[in-house]
Every structure is written in C-alpha cells, then in structure tokens.
C-alpha cells in the first residue's frame, strides 16, 4: 500500500472511531452530490479524473517552452496560489535544486514572488535573477490580490524593459479565473497565454489544476504521475464505509482527539527537510478550512529532527493540548553509511556501518514513544517513498480528509470570510478608493 494510517499510537480504539460511521456516510453523500455543481466548491473531488485534458497538454507545452528559453521561472502567487506548487516542487526535487549547476538541474530554477510585501525580498530576488533569462507565471484566482498584483507589475516592467513588449508577452503565463478579475482583463488586453482555475475549485484545493501544475511541470516533475497518484487516492477513498477508508479514519481520529481529549493543536511532523513546504501547504488547507465560527484544530508543523532541538521541549512537557500526525516515509530515496573513525574522538563509532536513514528512523521511533507517553497522541501516516505518485496521493488524502473533517466539526471548509477583515483595515490605511 502506498499510503496508510496507523492509529495504534493515538489512543483511539476502533469501536470509538466507528461511532462516527453514520455521520461520515452523510457527509460523504453530501460531498459527492456537490462534486459536479459548478456553483459550489467541491470540484477538486473529481479533479484527478475530471480535468481539462487540452489544458493539461498546454501546461506541458508551456513548461517545455519555459525550459527552452529561461534559466529561471518566477512564480507569483500567495496562499492557495503558491503553497501547493512549492510543496510539490520541494518534495520532488533536490533539497538544493536551485543551487545545482544547470547541467545537473536540467530545468529552470524556480523562484517565488508575490507572497509577501517586503521590498528587501523583491530587491534581493531582482539581484538574484541578474542577467539570467526568465519567465513569469502569475497566479491569482480572484485576480485582485494585492501581493501578487504588486509583484507582477514589477516583474512585468522588468521583462518589458529587458526583452521589449513583444518578447515579454511570450514570457508571461497567467493562471486565473476564466472571466473575472483585473488579472484576467490585463491578460486579455495584452494577449498573454492563460490557464484557468475552475470556478468550483477553491484556492487551497487547487494544486492539481494549472495553479500548481505549470510551476511543477516547469521544475521537471512528471505531472502525469502526480495525477496518477491522486487518481489512485480518488478511487481508494471513494468508499463511504469508515471502516475501510483510511482518509476518513484520519478525519475522524483528529476530531476524536479534539472533542474527547481536548487536543486543540495538531502538529504535522516530518523527518525529511524537503517536506517542509508540504507542511506549509497542509497548514493553510486545514487552517483556512476549519478555523472559523470560533472552532477548529490549530494546525502547526515541525521539521524533525531539526525542531526537536527547538520545539521538542514544549511538545514533551508543555501544555497538554497537542497531538501529532507523523509522516513516516518507509523507503528513503538515497542512503548514506557512517564510516568508522579510528580515533573516535567524536564518540559516534557505535553508529559506524549504519545508514543515516536507520538513525533517522530510530530517532522517529524514539520520539513517537516519548511523546505518546507524555500524553501527545500520535497518528502515523505511512508512505512508501517520496515520489510523484505518493505526493499526488497524499495531496488528495489530506484534501478529502479536510472536507470530511470540516463536516464533522460543523464548519464550511470551503470559505474563508475571516481573511477579509485585515484587508479592509489595510485598504483603509492605504486609502484605496472605495474603502
Ligand atoms: O485558499 C484560498 O482561497 C486563499 O488562500 C487564496 O488562494 C489566496 O488568498 C490567494 O488568492 P488569489 O488566488 O485570489 O490571489
């Protein structure tokens, strides 16, 4: 099995879990009923099988063109229009992808903009691009989000002054709504190549649309295999019976821990640095989907073993309102043996001959034991190895579990009314017309 969950360290027994069986059947039915409603936000449910094949081919062609004419692709977007692409690219390429020599990397560097309002960041990015040839993929569903709009204005100007208006046009790829928004109007007027974010797929559920797929394909990741992995998950988690559906078990388990055990914070734990942005993507997915109506499990993340030396103390002995979901990768992609050192001045000869993956695994096992004995229940998500199929699978697993979990919690997992509040204040302070 490529992905499965293990609840043996969660303290939850199957009997309690299965008490949710009927409620899950109802939520499951409701989701399926809404999947094809153009006006709803459940289009992601069938995306792995029901996607625009022509656009998919255009994405691959655009990625090929970018590879040919650009050393760098600047991906402009924020939130759901950013995190999914970065999560997948980081998970499936070298930890040092952008630093590799061109010959080894073979695909353009991927750099990100439009996800903050820092002048330093943009100036540093412009410096990093230097004389390199680059293209831009600007991604915004609403087409009006301030951060990407500012970044796009800046990089469009740079492209136009570097290449002239005509060539700049051929280096700009726009991913946005099919008819609404300022970005759509601009793209139409300038004749930029466009990709569509389907109406019924919300930002944080959109990684398997052009939002994620164009940057991901540009980094040389096989998007056919990514979609194939998601398809396996779509089929596997279509079973309405909680007893046989690991995705639904995860959704229920986290709600049991929250409701019955007063665990208000879930920490997603990984032992591979390349999974850092996967956690960031997951945090947004669960945070924006569930944090409303004064409800929601607060999603946090740690990268281990790094964070054992910063957050480990709190997790072991701080307030007891935490549980962890641990991503356990069974077969790491490479291995590294520890050599013997005759002097053994560093005292680690007891590890010589051992693989670093083995040591990492023992660290994980030790941490799971320590935390669970310290009343931090652990849900383990086992994945066979990190590759396109399993990452596609995991994306679908967490998206569907999030929708189910929102149903259990009694919130709408597809809106985000709370993010407007700060915007209104900010626009007032910036004297935006109409505020
Ligand atoms: O999940 C969401 O809906 C949000 O995080 C959006 O993706 C984010 O605010 C960016 O919005 P847009 O794509 O409209 O620029």
């Amino acid at each position: 099995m490529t992905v499965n969950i293990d609840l043996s360290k969660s303290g939850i027994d199957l009997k309690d879990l299965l008490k949710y069986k009927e409620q899950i059947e109802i939520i499951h039915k409701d989701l399926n009923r809404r999947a094809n409603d153009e006006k709803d936000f459940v289009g992601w449910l069938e995306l792995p099988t029901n996607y625009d094949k022509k656009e998919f081919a255009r994405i691959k062609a655009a990625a090929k063109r970018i590879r040919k004419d650009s050393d760098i692709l600047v991906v402009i977007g924020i939130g759901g229009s950013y995190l999914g692409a970065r999560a997948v690219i980081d998970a499936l390429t070298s930890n040092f992808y952008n630093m590799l020599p061109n010959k080894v990397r073979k695909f353009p560097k991927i750099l990100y903009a439009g996800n903050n309002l820092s002048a330093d960041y943009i100036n540093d990015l412009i410096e990093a691009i230097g004389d390199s040839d680059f293209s831009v993929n600007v991604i915004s569903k609403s087409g009006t989000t301030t951060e990407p709009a500012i970044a796009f204005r800046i990089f469009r100007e740079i492209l136009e002054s570097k290449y002239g208006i005509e060539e700049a046009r051929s280096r700009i790829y726009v991913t946005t709504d099919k008819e609404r928004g300022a970005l759509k109007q601009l793209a139409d007027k300038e004749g930029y190549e466009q990709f569509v974010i389907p109406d019924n797929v919300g930002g944080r559920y959109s990684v398997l649309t052009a939002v994620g797929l164009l940057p991901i394909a540009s980094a040389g990741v096989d998007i056919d295999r990514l979609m194939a992995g998601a398809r396996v998950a779509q089929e596997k988690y279509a079973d309405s019976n909680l007893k046989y559906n690991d995705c639904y078990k995860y959704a229920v388990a986290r709600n049991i821990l929250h409701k019955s055990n007063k665990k208000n914070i879930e920490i997603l734990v990984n032992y591979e640095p390349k999974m850092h942005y996967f956690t960031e993507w997951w945090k947004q997915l669960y945070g924006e989907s569930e944090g409303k109506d004064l409800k929601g499990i607060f999603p946090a993340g740690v990268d281990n073993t790094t964070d054992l030396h910063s957050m480990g103390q709190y997790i072991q002995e701080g307030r007891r309102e935490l549980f962890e979901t641990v991503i356990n990768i069974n077969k790491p992609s490479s291995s590294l043996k520890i050599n013997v050192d005759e002097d053994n001045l560093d005292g680690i000869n007891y590890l010589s001959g051992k693989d670093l993956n083995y040591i990492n695994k023992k660290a994980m096992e030790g941490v799971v034991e320590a935390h669970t004995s310290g009343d931090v229940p652990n849900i383990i998500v086992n994945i066979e190895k990190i590759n396109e199929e399993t990452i596609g699978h995991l994306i679908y697993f967490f998206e569907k579990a999030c929708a189910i979990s929102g149903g259990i919690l009694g919130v709408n997992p597809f809106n985000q009314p709370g993010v407007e509040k700060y915007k209104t204040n900010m626009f007032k302070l910036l004297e935006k017309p109409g505020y």
Side-chain angles (χ1 to χ4, degrees):
M1 246 191 236
T2 48
V3 174
N4 64 61
I5 75 159
D6 172 4
L7 295 178
S8 63
K9 304 284 179 192
S10 69
I12 297 169
D13 71 46
L14 193 63
K15 234 178 47 217
D16 288 332
L17 192 103
L18 292 179
K19 286 183 187 151
Y20 283 77
K21 197 168 173 295
E22 274 168 29
Q23 187 184 3
I24 292 298
E25 297 269 359
I26 294 167
I27 301 170
H28 170 95
K29 245 192 217 147
D30 180 56
L31 269 186
N32 280 339
R33 183 182 54 75
R34 295 162 62 187
N36 292 311
D37 185 342
E38 289 298 319
K39 294 199 182 73
D40 210 331
F41 288 99
V42 192
W44 54 271
L45 190 68
E46 293 181 359
L47 209 50
T49 45
N50 184 13
Y51 60 95
D52 182 340
K53 312 286 185 304
K54 276 198 189 134
E55 177 165 273
F56 195 79
R58 249 181 350 102
I59 289 170
K60 287 198 215 165
K64 224 177 184 177
R65 221 162 42 243
I66 293 166
R67 183 184 182 190
K68 213 164 152 205
D69 68 14
S70 302
D71 304 316
I72 295 169
L73 174 67
V74 178
V75 177
I76 298 178
I78 195 165
S81 292
Y82 157 59
L83 289 165
R86 187 153 194 183
V88 176
I89 292 168
D90 281 14
L92 295 174
T93 62
S94 160
N95 280 293
F96 303 98
Y97 177 80
N98 282 332
M99 286 169 69
L100 293 174
N102 292 352
K103 265 196 198 145
V104 181
R105 188 175 3 86
K106 294 193 186 112
F107 292 87
K109 292 178 189 171
I110 310 292
L111 301 175
Y112 302 90
N115 56 64
N116 59 61
L117 291 169
S118 160
D120 270 5
Y121 183 93
I122 296 215
N123 282 323
D124 289 351
L125 180 53
I126 293 168
E127 189 184 26
I129 293 170
D131 292 334
S132 304
D133 282 315
F134 74 103
S135 294
V136 164
N137 177 201
V138 55
I139 309 163
S140 175
K141 181 165 184 180
S142 63
T144 55
T145 307
T146 312
E147 292 90 338
I150 291 173
F152 183 46
R153 182 179 285 200
I154 292 167
F155 284 99
R156 189 161 55 100
E157 278 170 16
I158 296 173
L159 278 174
E160 287 174 354
S161 67
K162 183 174 163 98
Y163 297 105
I165 304 249
E166 260 323 298
E167 190 180 337
R169 247 181 218 135
S170 70
R171 291 176 173 272
I172 292 173
Y173 301 85
V174 173
T175 307
T176 191
D177 188 85
K178 68 173 184 304
E179 50 196 25
R180 280 182 301 265
L183 181 58
K184 168 68 184 161
Q185 280 171 25
L186 179 61
D188 282 348
K189 182 173 167 283
E190 294 294 334
Y192 299 141
E193 170 145 26
Q194 295 177 42
F195 299 92
V196 173
I197 309 172
D199 280 348
N200 60 354
V201 179
R204 58 191 173 274
Y205 292 83
S206 69
V207 53
L208 298 177
T209 70
V211 169
L213 295 176
L214 179 55
I216 291 168
S218 301
V221 172
D222 186 334
I223 57 173
D224 285 302
R225 288 177 56 198
L226 189 74
M227 292 302 272
R231 244 182 335 268
V232 169
Q234 183 186 338
E235 202 176 311
K236 186 171 165 195
Y237 307 125
D239 191 339
S240 66
N241 190 338
L242 174 60
K243 196 169 172 190
Y244 304 111
N245 192 321
D246 273 6
C247 171
Y248 293 2
K249 281 185 189 165
Y250 168 64
V252 171
R254 59 197 297 282
N255 277 282
I256 291 178
L257 293 173
H258 179 46
K259 274 190 201 156
S260 317
N261 300 33
K262 307 262 178 306
K263 304 294 185 190
N264 298 319
I265 299 165
E266 177 177 11
I267 306 173
L268 192 71
V269 184
N270 72 72
Y271 285 78
E272 276 302 333
K274 351 173 111 171
M275 293 297 280
H276 174 80
Y277 267 92
F278 192 88
T279 300
E280 294 304 309
W281 168 82
W282 173 90
K283 275 161 62 181
Q284 189 216 351
L285 180 63
Y286 282 78
E288 270 193 2
S289 299
E290 295 195 324
K292 55 197 65 158
D293 308 334
L294 306 179
K295 296 180 185 172
I297 301 167
F298 184 84
V302 292
D303 301 326
N304 284 350
T305 57
T306 313
D307 290 337
L308 292 170
H309 300 261
S310 60
M311 298 306 293
Q313 170 60 37
Y314 191 107
I315 298 171
Q316 192 66 51
E317 294 184 339
R319 285 165 64 112
R320 299 297 73 192
E321 54 182 341
L322 314 171
F323 69 96
E324 292 175 304
T325 295
V326 183
I327 308 254
N328 173 38
I329 297 152
N330 283 329
K331 290 188 201 140
S333 312
S334 68
S335 58
L336 185 63
K337 279 235 159 42
I338 312 294
N339 291 332
V340 188
D341 181 301
E342 271 182 22
D343 298 333
N344 194 27
L345 292 177
D346 52 15
I348 57 166
N349 261 357
Y350 75 102
L351 296 174
S352 55
K354 302 231 160 54
D355 198 289
L356 197 48
N357 291 315
Y358 171 81
I359 301 167
N360 203 15
K361 192 63 66 181
K362 292 298 143 195
M364 189 199 93
E365 288 167 16
V367 173
V368 168
E369 278 318 306
H371 290 182
T372 49
S373 68
D375 190 22
V376 177
N378 273 211
I379 297 170
I380 318 277
V381 178
N382 293 308
I383 71 172
E384 200 182 311
K385 53 184 169 194
I386 303 184
N387 61 23
E388 278 86 342
E389 284 85 1
T390 51
I391 292 293
H393 190 126
L394 268 192
I395 286 169
Y396 191 89
F397 173 94
F398 281 121
E399 284 180 353
K400 194 164 193 194
C402 185
I404 296 285
S405 182
I408 301 171
L409 205 59
V411 297
N412 175 359
F414 308 120
N415 68 2
Q416 55 285 330
V419 297
E420 293 312 313
K421 182 75 184 151
Y422 91 87
K423 286 187 193 167
T424 310
N425 292 346
M426 181 179 84
F427 291 147
K428 261 188 210 148
L429 292 168
L430 289 169
E431 298 176 30
K432 183 176 176 174
Y435 283 84

